[in-house]
Amino acid sequence: MSQELAWIDGTITPVEEARVPFLDHGYFFGYGVYEAMRTYGGRIFALQDHFDRLGKSMKVLGLSIDLSWADLDKVLVDLIAQSDLRPETLVYLQVTRGPALRRVVRPETKPVVSIFTSQLEPVPEELRRQGVKAISLPDQRWRRPDIKSLNLLPNVLARVQAEEAGAHEAIFYLAEGGGQEAKVLRVTEGAMSNVFAVFDGVVMTPPADGSILAGVTRLKVMQSAAAHGVNIIEKHFSVEELRRADEIFISSTGTEALGIARLDGQDVGDGKAGPLSLQIAEWFLEDCSRIEKIHRINL
């Protein structure tokens, strides 16, 4: 029977029955990192890339776990099989500092590994072709968005503001320049996605220079587009330039590549997902359907 399950330090329970230690510093301070992964054909997409990024995030926060990558791989495969969710599965993996008194700044504790599965429905084809709405907001997050940490409150509040505006996503921008200089509002990324813009047939996306999270789906979308001859470059652009783009699309684990039809109440291009955005999304999904190329991991 299909069921959303949780795995916490070796114990499997239904998600609604899962429990974590009250004194865990992940709860008190957001001291932890995570990865959100998905399956295609029941197999995890780009697992090596997710593990690589998780390892880098853990290193920055000084976290280490007893499980090897091969151990984690087996846990994920078993949990997905036991969950038996259709059509696909979203897998969330989190590593927190572990339980210790709140006043202890650097506890010598064993980190807690938590994993859960949930059902993942595909993006409706009509929505993909219509595109979605987005708004732009100041980027008020902490200055290490390249670490996939648990400190997501600004992202959540931005998504709430987007929903209140009838939009699917909020796109962040940073102010640059000061004093007598005019400030340039540089686009970084979405609250839960990476951002791409099309200018005269060239696809641009902000570089992974520490101001964004280097999304796994972002990387694979770029590879799919480049493999089909699309000129895709990593380059900064302002929010004003973004508003004048021919097309805009975002990428994330759940939405894959999804076109933006309206930004800040104004049509993007023809007011629907652009032709190149749709084509890139199609190429990406075709690549994802080749399961034998997806689950390649160097353990």
Side-chain angles (χ1 to χ4, degrees), residues 228 279 281-290:
H228 287 84
Q279 180 64 76
E282 183 177 336
W283 287 330
F284 172 75
L285 291 172
E286 286 176 356
D287 289 342
C288 291
S289 69
R290 300 184 180 96

Side-chain angles (χ1 to χ4, degrees), residues 234-247:
E234 296 180 86
K235 182 180 179 181
H236 290 299
F237 47 83
S238 71
V239 68
E240 289 301 326
E241 289 173 317
L242 182 66
R243 290 173 182 147
R244 297 194 298 270
D246 301 320
E247 303 178 33

